[in-house]
Amino acid sequence: MKKRVLKNGSDRVGISIDLISTERLEELGSGKIRFIIDQVKDGKVLVLEKGLTSSEELELIRVTMTEIDHDSFIGVETPGFTGNISKRTFLQKLFGRTAPPRMMVVGPAHLLKTIKKDGRTIEAIILTRDSALEGDIREEDLTPPRDQEGEGFDGDERFDLDEEIDVVEEQDEE
Amino acid sequence: MGFFDSILRGISRLFKKRQASIGIYGPPNAGKTTLANRISRDWTGRSMGKTSEVPHETRKAKERKEVVIKAAGNKISFDIIDTPGIATKIDFHNFVEEFKMDEEKAKTRAKEATEGVIEAIKWLDKVDGVLLVMDSAEDPFNQVNVTLLGNLEARNLPTIIVANKMDIDDASPATIRDAFPQHPTIPISALAGYGMDNLYKAMMKYFR
């Protein structure tokens, strides 16, 4: 997550949501999955204009499993429309391909929670400190048990959300 | 994967170089091992693995060879592979907080679970058909189900959706059937044994 210094001078914390265009994803080519994992591990929520294919999604799951270290990254949440797999064209059936994927959201599993998903609607929430205080979500769920110093994790220390946040300076030039 | 793989797979089946391997797939706690045990016990008299309410109990794929199933006037020998549950996230804290597991054990379990997911994905290259197990009381549109089905279709792998846990009051196999109408859906309770005859008949029809 990024801590942004806004133009009015106030420090605000928040979750970075990046909208990734189809062109950007295609530019990444075979580095697409690596890019997504790196961004998500950095605490970002990505909205992909064009979702991943089912084979790319499976690769995302596979790579995610190799990256989980239980101290800083517990996985991904990937609500999305991956094409209507119940309505395939003749050619798609012939060549064994599912319908083209549509929009998809990918985020760190400790921050993004899918509430409801059907073929047409996705309801997801980005967990914040406020949502934890409202009661349904435990505040500790918002903070991965990351060791800031990278020197191991004793299991009891969960670092504070505010301290977790990277700083991106967006100072007013005036 | 696609048209040509389908042809190659068909040629392979034609020459019967080996008997069909059927993978049991699905998200954690859908009842995969309960189903594997049910099938194995019904036809070999032996179980395949331990079950638990704690997710990721199966963390290594288990194979039972030459399970001879008789149904609908046919007899086919299958190799049955019970695969670890596929998930997009694994947090050892869940084992500690929800199931009161010792922290070190929880971390080990989580680590093994990640390896299990990778192993399950690798097995997709080896199986000839899939029993995709879904919990009938849960929303079928979870990303694991959708991703798996997309991959199974891309590989032209014959797939039967097993709508498990029909013994639960909230079970709704119709929801699964409506979500994925392009695949046969068989309602069962692997725990109670309900619907197994229909599943065996479907295996004869789609995996022969």
Side-chain angles (χ1 to χ4, degrees):
Chain A
M1 285 182 295
K2 304 297 180 189
K3 182 177 186 179
R4 298 190 184 279
V5 181
L6 302 182
K7 287 189 175 182
N8 63 9
S10 64
D11 284 7
R12 299 294 298 273
V13 297
I15 295 161
S16 176
I17 301 176
D18 290 7
L19 279 66
I20 311 295
S21 69
T22 302
E23 291 76 14
R24 173 67 177 132
L25 272 182
E26 287 177 354
E27 279 172 9
L28 291 164
S30 59
K32 191 187 297 182
I33 301 300
R34 183 71 263 161
F35 168 80
I36 291 171
I37 292 277
D38 287 345
Q39 297 295 302
V40 170
K41 284 182 77 174
D42 199 30
K44 290 182 179 177
V45 174
L46 306 182
V47 180
L48 310 181
E49 183 186 21
K50 180 183 176 186
L52 301 175
T53 64
S54 57
S55 59
E56 287 172 338
E57 278 194 66
L58 200 63
E59 179 64 5
L60 178 65
I61 292 174
R62 191 192 67 77
V63 176
T64 295
M65 289 300 123
T66 66
E67 300 273 330
I68 287 178
D69 63 14
H70 310 302
D71 290 340
S72 62
F73 180 58
I74 62 166
V76 296
E77 184 82 358
T78 59
F81 302 112
T82 48
N84 188 341
I85 60 178
S86 68
K87 292 181 181 176
R88 296 190 299 159
T89 65
F90 172 74
L91 283 177
Q92 284 165 347
K93 287 179 181 174
L94 180 64
F95 289 101
R97 291 181 182 176
T98 56
R102 293 180 282 161
M103 195 207 76
M104 183 179 194
V105 184
V106 189
H110 73 283
L111 287 180
L112 188 66
K113 184 176 177 61
T114 306
I115 302 298
K116 182 185 171 188
K117 180 179 176 228
D118 58 32
R120 297 182 178 89
T121 308
I122 296 170
E123 182 182 357
I125 59 172
I126 297 173
L127 304 179
T128 64
R129 182 185 296 272
D130 287 343
S131 58
L133 295 175
E134 285 173 7
D136 286 342
I137 300 156
R138 298 165 306 173
E139 188 169 359
E140 59 263 34
D141 284 342
L142 308 182
T143 56
R146 184 177 296 173
D147 171 25
Q148 291 180 76
E149 304 300 326
E151 295 176 355
F153 172 66
D154 68 11
D156 293 320
E157 293 177 4
R158 294 185 173 217
F159 68 142
D160 183 81
L161 182 65
D162 291 338
E163 295 175 4
E164 165 78 5
I165 294 166
D166 299 327
V167 176
V168 172
E169 295 289 343
E170 290 186 356
Q171 295 282 11
D172 190 350
E173 292 178 354
E174 293 178 6
Chain B
M1 295 290 170
F3 183 64
F4 298 106
D5 294 279
S6 182
I7 291 175
L8 288 174
R9 196 181 294 277
I11 292 171
S12 175
R13 281 190 193 128
L14 188 67
F15 288 99
K16 295 278 182 188
K17 288 180 180 173
R18 60 189 176 89
Q19 59 187 21
S21 294
I22 305 301
I24 300 179
Y25 276 85
N29 273 23
K32 296 178 296 300
T33 302
T34 305
L35 174 61
N37 285 341
R38 172 67 62 178
I39 294 172
S40 184
R41 273 202 305 266
D42 280 354
W43 302 105
T44 72
R46 293 177 293 162
S47 296
M48 283 185 69
K50 187 181 166 193
T51 60
S52 168
E53 64 172 358
V54 184
H56 300 288
E57 180 65 25
T58 303
R59 300 185 292 283
K60 288 194 174 188
K62 290 177 181 163
E63 184 174 13
R64 173 63 38 88
K65 288 186 170 294
E66 297 180 7
V67 177
V68 180
I69 296 178
K70 300 173 189 172
N74 292 308
K75 183 171 84 171
I76 301 179
S77 180
F78 295 109
D79 293 340
I80 302 292
I81 299 104
D82 179 26
T83 67
I86 292 183
T88 62
K89 57 190 172 187
I90 298 170
D91 184 0
F92 80 88
H93 288 95
N94 290 342
F95 305 139
V96 174
E97 291 159 11
E98 289 184 34
F99 300 100
K100 310 301 176 196
M101 191 176 285
D102 170 75
E103 187 172 304
E104 282 309 308
K105 283 185 179 176
K107 284 184 174 178
T108 301
R109 188 185 187 91
K111 175 69 177 164
E112 290 172 354
T114 62
E115 294 163 357
V117 173
I118 294 168
E119 188 188 12
I121 291 171
K122 284 182 182 170
W123 265 100
L124 278 175
D125 293 332
K126 302 177 191 170
V127 297
D128 302 296
V130 166
L131 295 172
L132 180 53
V133 185
M134 299 185 189
D135 185 332
S136 297
E138 298 285 333
D139 176 9
F141 273 109
N142 69 64
Q143 206 63 20
V144 169
N145 287 342
V146 173
T147 300
L148 271 173
L149 269 177
N151 276 272
L152 298 175
E153 289 179 1
R155 294 163 189 256
N156 285 318
L157 281 172
T159 301
I160 297 172
I161 296 176
V162 180
N164 193 24
K165 303 195 182 182
M166 286 297 294
D167 51 296
I168 294 177
D169 287 343
D170 294 337
S172 175
T175 305
I176 296 174
R177 194 171 281 133
D178 290 346
F180 310 113
Q182 74 278 31
H183 296 286
T185 299
I186 310 296
I188 70 156
S189 166
L191 189 65
Y194 166 82
M196 292 304 295
D197 286 345
N198 288 335
L199 179 60
Y200 295 138
K201 287 176 187 170
M203 289 174 71
M204 292 295 141
K205 181 177 179 181
Y206 294 101
F207 294 155
R208 59 183 309 171

